[in-house]
Amino acid sequence: MHNADNYSLRNYGQMINDTTRTEPFVEALRRAIVPGQSVVLDIGTSFGFFSFIACQLGARKVYAIERDDAIEVAKLCAKGSAYEDRITWIQGLSTKIELPEKVDIVIADLHGTLPFYNSNIASMIDARERHLKPGGQIISMRDRLFAVPAQAHEEYESVDSPWQKNPHGIDFSAGGNFVVNDWWRARPDVVPEANLLSSPQQWGEIDYRKVDSQNLDGQLAWTIEREGILHGLYLWFDGDVAEGLGYSNAPTLPELVYGRAFFPMEHAATVNVGDKVTCRISATVIDDRYIFRWDTLIYDARGTTKAQFRQTTFKSRPLRAEDLQTIAEDNCPTLNEDGLIAQVVLAAIAESKSLRQIAERIVELYPKRFGTITSALNHVSELSVMFTGKLEK
């Protein structure tokens, strides 16, 4: 999860109300479902919108998966409804769950500001390979990613101040080195065409019907069409939900619920008509976390380099020397108190002990940490939910 993305129950509701985004999904379901026959898998159901729509359209069975507690809202909404017996609610990750049957349709909108949100791509690959019938349909179908160099004074203000300049004259430039190696959700305002210094170029494509890698790497090249100051790149995706159905979150359009991304330049650079800008952009999964890299070269019509930047989110957070020592390959780690407690709890779960028995045990072993059986039970319950799973209807 990137820090630009933060979904709450309120955000899930906003997603439903964003009809530019929602209606293509609904129409795709309408086209795909065969009433009385189709079995649907809804991944990331939140409070069940697509599951209820699938039932309205005649789906025979829906498996609705959500790891967030928002699924409890879905269950409350389904209780007593005409769809209650046709939807199986499953809390957890779709990649960790076995279904009793293959499905005809997989529907999922797991996007963040970019498609590289949590395990979106991995989940779609897994659903296609393990849960979807041969010839079944996957919704969303495809994301096409675009980028454009832009003059964006308002976005770049968070780079300029307080890192490059501030009213108190303190040199915070060392901190600015971390800021320029991160991207963020851009401001929601429609960006005037005049602020785009060239035409958008496609960075890459994620076709969920055949993609087999979570990573994306692409080389882009622009010729500057308007002189100005290059502050960074706007990045966004156009979602093709099904053939002829989709939406665009381009910066020149009203913002959708996902937002769009801004990748800053290390330094603002003056560009003239005819200058060339090339940028290699990559998104690579390392230890279940996306690392972004954008390497930019700016040169004039004669080929003279005007600026060159190498930026990566790997350099966006400071690392303590102690942390580097901790992850060294020759380090021999030892469990801290949290680890020791977790070890006791997991061993007791493996022995089929009750939560109360486990709680009593850790109160006995760690009386200073857990003053009451209630606090111990809460802690044990959290670990139990984290490391065990269940299928609920």
Side-chain angles (χ1 to χ4, degrees):
M1 175 177 176
H2 189 270
N3 58 14
D5 303 309
N6 185 20
Y7 288 138
S8 64
L9 191 60
R10 176 175 172 272
N11 296 138
Y12 291 136
Q14 290 174 323
M15 294 179 79
I16 304 309
N17 287 333
D18 190 342
T19 56
T20 302
R21 166 262 183 190
T22 302
E23 291 309 307
F25 282 91
V26 173
E27 180 59 28
L29 276 175
R30 181 176 289 110
R31 295 180 186 180
I33 288 175
V34 178
Q37 297 183 32
S38 295
V39 178
V40 178
L41 170 59
D42 178 9
I43 302 176
T45 188
S46 67
F47 60 90
F49 177 77
F50 289 144
S51 294
F52 291 121
I53 292 294
C55 286
Q56 280 186 0
L57 296 171
R60 174 175 64 81
K61 182 68 179 178
V62 178
Y63 296 97
I65 299 178
E66 173 60 59
R67 69 175 183 175
D68 190 87
D69 289 340
I71 197 170
E72 296 300 325
V73 178
K75 294 177 186 178
L76 290 172
C77 293
K79 192 172 182 60
S81 75
Y83 312 132
E84 185 173 11
D85 294 335
R86 289 156 61 191
I87 304 175
T88 294
W89 304 104
I90 307 168
Q91 185 162 13
L93 294 172
S94 62
T95 53
K96 306 292 186 183
I97 290 168
E98 298 290 339
L99 297 179
E101 60 183 319
K102 297 279 189 178
V103 304
D104 302 288
I105 301 161
V106 171
I107 183 167
D109 182 11
L110 306 175
H111 302 91
T113 305
L114 294 171
F116 313 101
Y117 179 68
N118 285 339
S119 56
N120 168 31
I121 299 175
S123 296
M124 297 294 266
I125 294 172
D126 175 76
R128 186 189 70 212
E129 297 296 324
R130 293 199 306 123
H131 300 310
L132 189 64
K133 292 178 182 177
Q137 185 166 338
I138 191 162
I139 309 169
S140 293
M141 181 180 74
R142 176 178 55 229
D143 291 325
R144 291 172 292 126
L145 292 103
F146 295 87
V148 65
Q151 179 168 278
H153 290 285
E154 295 83 359
E155 296 293 348
Y156 213 72
E157 179 60 28
S158 62
V159 174
D160 281 335
S161 179
W163 312 108
Q164 305 301 329
K165 58 187 179 184
N166 58 79
H168 305 285
I170 303 172
D171 183 2
F172 287 124
S173 58
N177 293 332
F178 297 104
V179 175
V180 296
N181 280 287
D182 203 1
W183 64 271
W184 55 84
R185 179 171 173 152
R187 294 161 60 91
D189 313 286
V190 172
V191 176
E193 292 270 3
N195 285 13
L196 306 185
L197 301 174
S198 188
S199 301
Q201 299 293 324
Q202 184 166 317
W203 167 30
E205 178 180 285
I206 304 167
D207 190 327
Y208 297 105
R209 299 167 298 180
K210 58 186 179 183
V211 65
D212 58 7
S213 172
Q214 299 182 68
N215 303 330
L216 187 65
D217 191 326
Q219 182 78 26
L220 299 99
W222 299 273
T223 298
I224 295 299
E225 300 168 5
R226 301 179 182 90
E227 67 175 27
I229 300 174
L230 173 56
H231 292 109
L233 307 173
Y234 284 112
L235 270 72
W236 70 95
F237 66 95
D238 286 1
D240 298 321
V241 178
E243 293 294 350
L245 293 173
Y247 52 84
S248 175
N249 202 26
T252 53
L253 298 175
E255 185 191 53
L256 299 184
V257 68
Y258 314 102
R260 47 260 182 156
F262 185 77
F263 283 62
M265 293 291 103
E266 187 175 342
H267 301 288
T270 300
V271 291
N272 301 306
V273 174
D275 284 352
K276 309 291 183 182
V277 178
T278 64
C279 188
R280 179 178 179 180
I281 309 176
S282 66
T284 307
V285 174
I286 300 176
D287 292 334
D288 295 326
R289 176 187 174 196
Y290 272 102
I291 300 297
F292 290 86
R293 178 173 177 172
W294 58 110
D295 295 341
T296 310
L297 176 64
I298 307 169
Y299 56 97
D300 63 21
R302 294 171 297 182
T304 303
T305 298
K306 300 179 71 171
Q308 186 170 9
F309 309 125
R310 297 185 182 276
Q311 294 162 267
T312 172
T313 54
F314 184 76
K315 298 190 294 186
S316 66
R317 298 186 66 181
L319 291 174
R320 300 183 305 165
E322 306 93 283
D323 293 336
L324 292 175
Q325 292 171 359
T326 299
I327 62 176
E329 63 180 24
D330 59 350
N331 178 51
C332 298
T334 56
L335 292 175
N336 59 16
E337 185 176 75
D338 285 337
L340 293 169
I341 292 170
Q343 187 177 50
V344 172
V345 171
L346 293 176
I349 289 174
E351 295 172 0
S352 299
K353 301 292 186 183
S354 71
L355 295 185
R356 181 158 191 101
Q357 287 174 317
I358 302 171
E360 290 172 349
R361 178 61 175 157
I362 66 170
V363 167
E364 178 185 344
L365 293 174
Y366 301 97
K368 292 182 179 179
R369 175 71 176 272
F370 301 101
T372 65
I373 191 68
T374 300
S375 64
L377 266 171
N378 289 338
H379 189 74
V380 169
S381 297
E382 288 177 4
L383 289 175
S384 175
V385 170
M386 185 183 304
F387 292 108
T388 65
K390 55 184 177 179
L391 179 67
E392 292 188 73
K393 182 175 179 181

